[in-house]
Amino acid sequence: MIHEMKISLPLPKQACALCFVVILSLVRGVSDSYEIGVALEAPLAILAVSLCADTYTQEIVCGRSEIQRLYPLKKRVCSVYGRMAIQELFLLAVAVIGYGLFFLFQNPETAQTGQSGQGGEMCQFLVYFAAITVTLGFWGLLSNLLSILFRNMWMGIGCCLLLWLFTNSSAGDRCLGAWNLFSYSFRRLGNDGDLSWLCGKMVCISLGIMAAAALPKIIEKRG
């Protein structure tokens, strides 16, 4: 596991990710705490795309793919899953740190306990945590899968960026509504009773499961 961590999550990657959320929390203004999730979701999706795109393709770039082909497919797939898990856990930690940094640097207005029948600020954070877990998992898996498919991390990042630009736009919101991949960001802020945004997260979960299931076949064909 330590070996996989050194390969998939080197120090430069960690430093860049942490710098990213620090800068974001400084330049992205929020006035209320319920805006923090909106400020973080889409940028962290891009961070997941860029961080996870070379999970396997670095083996191709470094000329290790031919050696990898000598290993049983199960071992190669488990290696990719393990690296993805390491990266996703790190990204989740970065997402939590980013949430706290907004309070540290901007001190936004906080939710009142019992707001709209919810558990207040802690419940708001837990909802954010659940939503961002799904978002990071989906975009990380997608960028890795497309990079392996095209055997090029930049193609994987580029395809994900096109999808990101559409779904994170007003046009995407109008076309997809509650089924948008970024439905959490486009939800009606301040209305805790509106849970229609969960539809979009269910789409992310469903697509993520299909991507994870397709990964072994893609590695066998293109890896």
Side-chain angles (χ1 to χ4, degrees):
M1 185 61 71
I2 294 177
H3 174 69
E4 298 291 2
M5 184 178 295
K6 288 180 179 179
I7 294 175
S8 61
L9 203 59
L11 288 177
K13 269 190 177 184
Q14 298 179 43
C16 288
L18 291 172
C19 287
F20 180 83
V21 291
V22 169
I23 294 171
L24 183 65
S25 63
L26 287 170
V27 302
R28 179 68 157 81
V30 297
S31 57
D32 294 287
S33 60
Y34 57 74
E35 297 175 1
I36 297 176
V38 176
L40 281 169
E41 187 186 24
L44 286 177
I46 284 294
L47 183 63
V49 167
S50 58
L51 197 74
C52 299
D54 69 341
T55 301
Y56 185 84
T57 55
Q58 59 185 291
E59 304 291 343
I60 299 171
V61 173
C62 296
R64 298 192 298 260
S65 60
E66 296 304 320
I67 298 175
Q68 283 276 341
R69 287 176 179 272
L70 299 177
Y71 296 146
L73 178 63
K74 183 177 180 180
K75 182 176 180 179
R76 293 160 61 195
V77 171
C78 288
S79 175
V80 173
Y81 283 146
R83 294 179 187 182
M84 283 297 303
I86 291 168
Q87 292 172 328
E88 293 290 354
L89 288 173
F90 172 73
L91 285 167
L92 202 53
V94 169
V96 173
I97 291 170
Y99 195 93
L101 288 174
F102 272 90
F103 281 98
L104 178 64
F105 295 139
Q106 301 195 35
N107 192 28
E109 294 290 330
T110 58
Q112 299 297 318
T113 303
Q115 179 184 10
S116 301
Q118 299 293 322
E121 197 64 39
M122 181 54 69
C123 181
Q124 188 168 275
F125 169 74
L126 292 176
V127 169
Y128 159 78
F129 185 82
I132 205 65
T133 299
V134 174
T135 297
L136 293 174
F138 168 73
W139 288 99
L141 277 167
L142 182 64
S143 68
N144 179 44
L145 185 72
L146 291 174
S147 295
I148 299 173
L149 183 63
F150 293 109
R151 293 179 63 83
N152 187 303
M153 65 171 285
W154 297 111
M155 285 294 294
I157 291 174
C159 292
C160 286
L161 182 59
L162 291 175
L163 180 62
W164 183 91
L165 287 171
F166 172 68
T167 53
N168 189 41
S169 67
S170 56
D173 183 37
R174 287 194 304 270
C175 293
L176 302 174
W179 301 97
N180 193 347
L181 301 177
F182 290 110
S183 58
Y184 172 76
S185 293
F186 286 105
R187 76 194 191 283
R188 286 184 288 174
L189 297 178
N191 184 1
D192 295 335
D194 180 19
L195 299 178
S196 60
W197 61 270
L198 290 174
C199 295
K201 292 301 137 189
M202 289 303 298
V203 172
C204 287
I205 292 173
S206 300
L207 293 176
I209 291 173
M210 287 190 285
L215 192 61
K217 285 292 183 182
I218 300 297
I219 292 175
E220 184 180 16
K221 297 288 185 180
R222 303 291 294 166

